[in-house]
Amino acid sequence: MEIQINSLGEAIRHKRCLLNLTQAKLAKAVKVDNTYISKLENNHTLPSWDLLDRLEVVLHFQKGDLAELCGFPSQELIDILGEAIKLKEELAVKEKIRKFLND
């Protein structure tokens, strides 16, 4: 039987239970308050990138799985956008230098 996971909270709760972890044990492992784990599992808050990374490690998720459930862009997309911004800035600088030299 395949389990349908529709949200970040469901994914966290499901993996936590599979690993026989209480909310308190998971909270201690990822260094947050156990009430915060409850808020995550009930989809009342979204974690930081740093916390997502810690949750993925402790709960044995693949890198980026939880970010995808949050609707966050993948790290690959973030890297591509960063490179595009860097390239655009480099082109803008080159254009300013060329314009300066031609004036």
Side-chain angles (χ1 to χ4, degrees):
M1 178 172 87
E2 190 174 321
I3 295 178
Q4 183 72 22
I5 302 292
N6 296 312
S7 70
L8 174 70
E10 288 177 5
I12 291 171
R13 180 179 293 117
H14 178 72
K15 284 288 227 151
R16 178 180 62 76
C17 292
L18 284 176
L19 295 169
N20 293 315
L21 292 172
T22 64
Q23 286 183 344
K25 286 181 182 178
L26 176 58
K28 185 175 181 179
V30 296
K31 300 179 176 118
V32 296
D33 189 84
N34 62 330
T35 58
Y36 193 78
I37 298 298
S38 176
K39 289 178 184 177
L40 286 172
E41 289 185 357
N42 289 300
N43 298 304
H44 292 156
T45 191
L46 288 174
S48 65
W49 280 106
D50 184 52
L51 179 55
L52 273 178
D53 288 341
R54 294 193 312 265
L55 286 165
E56 285 177 339
V57 169
V58 171
L59 296 173
H60 307 288
F61 281 98
Q62 295 293 318
K63 179 83 173 141
D65 282 353
L66 292 180
E68 186 178 319
L69 283 170
C70 291
F72 294 165
S74 69
Q75 187 60 49
E76 181 181 12
L77 177 58
I78 291 169
D79 293 344
I80 290 169
L81 291 173
E83 287 298 315
I85 291 167
K86 183 179 174 184
L87 180 61
K88 183 178 178 186
E89 290 170 352
E90 288 173 4
L91 291 173
V93 169
K94 287 178 184 178
E95 178 62 29
K96 286 180 184 180
I97 292 170
R98 190 169 50 98
K99 184 177 179 185
F100 174 78
L101 293 174
N102 288 332
D103 284 348

